[in-house]
Amino acid sequence: MTETKNLWGGRFTESPDQTFAEFNNSFKFDKRLFTADIRASIAHCEGIFQAGILTRPEAERIKNGLWTILKRSDFDKDYFNDSTVEDVHSFIESRLVQLVGDVGKKLHTGRSRNDQVATAFRLWLRDEIVEIQQITRELQKSLVEAANRQKDAVLPGYTHLQRAQPVMWAHWCLAYFEMLARDRERLDEVWRRVNVLPLGSAALAGTSFEIDRETVAREIGFEGVTSNSLDAVSDRDFAIEFVGACALIMVHLSRFAEDLILYASSEFQFIELSDAVSTGSSLMPQKKNPDALELIRGKAGRVFGHQTSLLSMMKGLPLAYNKDMQEDKEAVFDTVDTVKISLKVAAIVLKNLGLREDKTREAATKGYLNATELADYLVQRGVPFRTAHDVVGKTVLYSISVGKELNELALTDFQKFSSEIENDVFEALSLEKTLGSKNQIGGTSPERVFEALEEAQRSLEIEN
Ligand code: ARG
């Protein structure tokens, strides 16, 4: 009988159909788990040595073999060119046996690819999460820098994309800073749940060998071990949660992108995007397109899609492991790649971004953004807010009909609508006063915003 190349050939008399073999093959993408799987295998090797399966020399041979394979992959570009192996786990085992001989065949004692893949995936993801958090932090830094560069700049704030009230430019920057801070926190939590060891659960029922799982966990820096073998080999919550956390990052980046795309349009003219992050049109010579931002906005959809695929892939699966779950890798890999590059590009956009302060100031003072201020002024004089709201509404209607801003009206005009209005109304309606009065925690007064900016800076420095 010809010897089968795969890990489970004994029971079979025929080799797999070629098309099916290709369909089944995950090595083309799960080779990304190579280093993680080697690390976990080294820890497992120690575990089965302590369980009395291997002698010390055997364990050392296997470990050295695994290290050699790891190093080889560093300099041999073609090392992974093998279309005959099924997945990264069979690749490593076959290379190990080639290298150290039959003793390599002992490594799989007490484990299954089911707990092996869950372990490698978690180990790999654990480090990626930290990297994504770092890149997110870099973007937070760029937001703080952009705020500091144009500290006194103002921006019209919008609701329903209609001019609403003026805000500080730094306030806008810090709004995104806050979203990203929550994103990093969420990833912290995901990290904690990822950082648990499934190895020792074997195929589904646990292992009969006396492997000290806690020691294996410590060896690879996992904080604990999973408590139920059935759950451990078939749980992909951690992957779904991770993609979910990334989906929210992408929501935030997408809104950031959308704001800036609008601001860069000729209609707004609030910002000029640098050539470094724009492209031209092949037909219209005048065009400068915000492609970097549009791609960020567009790529958000991919990540949401991955979350949906993972949820749908898991929802009907009976316990425990099912091959459907091999589909988890590409969704997570692409999520990682997409989130990282999008965060990086967003930071590049910000670094090159200049706000046209004259334009934003003009926009912040045109369009009755101080109408609420007038209502608040009346409230200060004892007028009930609802009445004040109505008075100001009528005043705005009048101002529109005469083509003036509120602060361009004469005092006598104001007094037609309310006798409470006096000469100090003009100061109350100024941009400085409008901004300055929003002086509670979280408000957009320069005082509060500069405080928040310092706090943001401090929070970034402390973590250094
Ligand atoms: N390549 C598989 C995956 O990614 C590894 C686990 C295979 N387990 C099995 N029983 N066939 O899920």
PDB file of all heavy atoms in Angstrom, residues 64-75:
ATOM      1  N   ASN A  64      14.288  21.075  19.302  1.00  0.00           N
ATOM      2  CA  ASN A  64      15.305  21.615  18.400  1.00  0.00           C
ATOM      3  C   ASN A  64      14.821  21.573  16.965  1.00  0.00           C
ATOM      4  O   ASN A  64      15.055  22.494  16.186  1.00  0.00           O
ATOM      5  CB  ASN A  64      16.616  20.835  18.525  1.00  0.00           C
ATOM      6  CG  ASN A  64      17.332  21.208  19.813  1.00  0.00           C
ATOM      7  OD1 ASN A  64      17.124  22.310  20.334  1.00  0.00           O
ATOM      8  ND2 ASN A  64      18.137  20.298  20.334  1.00  0.00           N
ATOM      9  N   GLY A  65      14.152  20.479  16.642  1.00  0.00           N
ATOM     10  CA  GLY A  65      13.600  20.344  15.293  1.00  0.00           C
ATOM     11  C   GLY A  65      12.627  21.476  14.999  1.00  0.00           C
ATOM     12  O   GLY A  65      12.677  22.113  13.936  1.00  0.00           O
ATOM     13  N   LEU A  66      11.772  21.758  15.959  1.00  0.00           N
ATOM     14  CA  LEU A  66      10.773  22.821  15.754  1.00  0.00           C
ATOM     15  C   LEU A  66      11.467  24.188  15.607  1.00  0.00           C
ATOM     16  O   LEU A  66      11.099  24.992  14.747  1.00  0.00           O
ATOM     17  CB  LEU A  66       9.777  22.834  16.918  1.00  0.00           C
ATOM     18  CG  LEU A  66       8.803  21.640  16.957  1.00  0.00           C
ATOM     19  CD1 LEU A  66       8.082  21.553  18.296  1.00  0.00           C
ATOM     20  CD2 LEU A  66       7.794  21.721  15.800  1.00  0.00           C
ATOM     21  N   TRP A  67      12.479  24.423  16.432  1.00  0.00           N
ATOM     22  CA  TRP A  67      13.229  25.687  16.304  1.00  0.00           C
ATOM     23  C   TRP A  67      13.887  25.786  14.925  1.00  0.00           C
ATOM     24  O   TRP A  67      13.898  26.848  14.306  1.00  0.00           O
ATOM     25  CB  TRP A  67      14.324  25.785  17.379  1.00  0.00           C
ATOM     26  CG  TRP A  67      13.803  26.219  18.720  1.00  0.00           C
ATOM     27  CD1 TRP A  67      13.809  25.483  19.880  1.00  0.00           C
ATOM     28  CD2 TRP A  67      13.205  27.486  19.050  1.00  0.00           C
ATOM     29  NE1 TRP A  67      13.240  26.204  20.903  1.00  0.00           N
ATOM     30  CE2 TRP A  67      12.865  27.439  20.428  1.00  0.00           C
ATOM     31  CE3 TRP A  67      12.915  28.630  18.322  1.00  0.00           C
ATOM     32  CZ2 TRP A  67      12.257  28.506  21.090  1.00  0.00           C
ATOM     33  CZ3 TRP A  67      12.311  29.701  18.985  1.00  0.00           C
ATOM     34  CH2 TRP A  67      11.984  29.632  20.340  1.00  0.00           C
ATOM     35  N   THR A  68      14.448  24.672  14.480  1.00  0.00           N
ATOM     36  CA  THR A  68      15.128  24.676  13.174  1.00  0.00           C
ATOM     37  C   THR A  68      14.142  25.018  12.061  1.00  0.00           C
ATOM     38  O   THR A  68      14.432  25.816  11.166  1.00  0.00           O
ATOM     39  CB  THR A  68      15.763  23.286  12.905  1.00  0.00           C
ATOM     40  OG1 THR A  68      16.571  22.946  14.019  1.00  0.00           O
ATOM     41  CG2 THR A  68      16.605  23.291  11.645  1.00  0.00           C
ATOM     42  N   ILE A  69      12.973  24.410  12.141  1.00  0.00           N
ATOM     43  CA  ILE A  69      11.941  24.683  11.127  1.00  0.00           C
ATOM     44  C   ILE A  69      11.578  26.166  11.133  1.00  0.00           C
ATOM     45  O   ILE A  69      11.447  26.815  10.097  1.00  0.00           O
ATOM     46  CB  ILE A  69      10.688  23.823  11.406  1.00  0.00           C
ATOM     47  CG1 ILE A  69      11.012  22.347  11.195  1.00  0.00           C
ATOM     48  CG2 ILE A  69       9.530  24.243  10.524  1.00  0.00           C
ATOM     49  CD1 ILE A  69       9.907  21.409  11.670  1.00  0.00           C
ATOM     50  N   LEU A  70      11.465  26.691  12.351  1.00  0.00           N
ATOM     51  CA  LEU A  70      11.111  28.105  12.487  1.00  0.00           C
ATOM     52  C   LEU A  70      12.163  28.999  11.833  1.00  0.00           C
ATOM     53  O   LEU A  70      11.853  29.915  11.068  1.00  0.00           O
ATOM     54  CB  LEU A  70      10.969  28.454  13.977  1.00  0.00           C
ATOM     55  CG  LEU A  70      10.398  29.810  14.320  1.00  0.00           C
ATOM     56  CD1 LEU A  70       9.001  29.964  13.750  1.00  0.00           C
ATOM     57  CD2 LEU A  70      10.357  30.004  15.846  1.00  0.00           C
ATOM     58  N   LYS A  71      13.433  28.693  12.117  1.00  0.00           N
ATOM     59  CA  LYS A  71      14.519  29.518  11.552  1.00  0.00           C
ATOM     60  C   LYS A  71      14.565  29.377  10.041  1.00  0.00           C
ATOM     61  O   LYS A  71      14.741  30.349   9.321  1.00  0.00           O
ATOM     62  CB  LYS A  71      15.866  29.098  12.159  1.00  0.00           C
ATOM     63  CG  LYS A  71      16.110  29.777  13.487  1.00  0.00           C
ATOM     64  CD  LYS A  71      17.562  29.636  13.912  1.00  0.00           C
ATOM     65  CE  LYS A  71      17.636  29.411  15.412  1.00  0.00           C
ATOM     66  NZ  LYS A  71      18.049  28.050  15.782  1.00  0.00           N
ATOM     67  N   ARG A  72      14.400  28.143   9.592  1.00  0.00           N
ATOM     68  CA  ARG A  72      14.443  27.876   8.164  1.00  0.00           C
ATOM     69  C   ARG A  72      13.419  28.752   7.425  1.00  0.00           C
ATOM     70  O   ARG A  72      13.704  29.304   6.358  1.00  0.00           O
ATOM     71  CB  ARG A  72      14.147  26.385   7.950  1.00  0.00           C
ATOM     72  CG  ARG A  72      13.971  25.947   6.538  1.00  0.00           C
ATOM     73  CD  ARG A  72      15.313  25.633   5.890  1.00  0.00           C
ATOM     74  NE  ARG A  72      15.116  25.268   4.504  1.00  0.00           N
ATOM     75  CZ  ARG A  72      14.989  24.014   4.071  1.00  0.00           C
ATOM     76  NH1 ARG A  72      15.068  23.005   4.936  1.00  0.00           N
ATOM     77  NH2 ARG A  72      14.796  23.761   2.793  1.00  0.00           N
ATOM     78  N   SER A  73      12.266  28.902   8.024  1.00  0.00           N
ATOM     79  CA  SER A  73      11.207  29.669   7.357  1.00  0.00           C
ATOM     80  C   SER A  73      11.597  31.136   7.207  1.00  0.00           C
ATOM     81  O   SER A  73      11.085  31.855   6.363  1.00  0.00           O
ATOM     82  CB  SER A  73       9.911  29.570   8.161  1.00  0.00           C
ATOM     83  OG  SER A  73      10.021  30.325   9.350  1.00  0.00           O
ATOM     84  N   ASP A  74      12.525  31.557   8.059  1.00  0.00           N
ATOM     85  CA  ASP A  74      12.977  32.953   8.009  1.00  0.00           C
ATOM     86  C   ASP A  74      13.775  33.283   6.760  1.00  0.00           C
ATOM     87  O   ASP A  74      13.637  34.349   6.185  1.00  0.00           O
ATOM     88  CB  ASP A  74      13.894  33.235   9.215  1.00  0.00           C
ATOM     89  CG  ASP A  74      13.131  33.899  10.328  1.00  0.00           C
ATOM     90  OD1 ASP A  74      11.961  34.253  10.086  1.00  0.00           O
ATOM     91  OD2 ASP A  74      13.705  34.056  11.415  1.00  0.00           O
ATOM     92  N   PHE A  75      14.646  32.341   6.377  1.00  0.00           N
ATOM     93  CA  PHE A  75      15.525  32.675   5.247  1.00  0.00           C
ATOM     94  C   PHE A  75      15.178  31.948   3.954  1.00  0.00           C
ATOM     95  O   PHE A  75      15.602  32.359   2.893  1.00  0.00           O
ATOM     96  CB  PHE A  75      17.011  32.474   5.612  1.00  0.00           C
ATOM     97  CG  PHE A  75      17.366  31.067   5.988  1.00  0.00           C
ATOM     98  CD1 PHE A  75      17.613  30.115   5.002  1.00  0.00           C
ATOM     99  CD2 PHE A  75      17.456  30.692   7.325  1.00  0.00           C
ATOM    100  CE1 PHE A  75      17.949  28.812   5.357  1.00  0.00           C
ATOM    101  CE2 PHE A  75      17.791  29.384   7.668  1.00  0.00           C
ATOM    102  CZ  PHE A  75      18.031  28.443   6.685  1.00  0.00           C
TER     103      PHE A  75
END
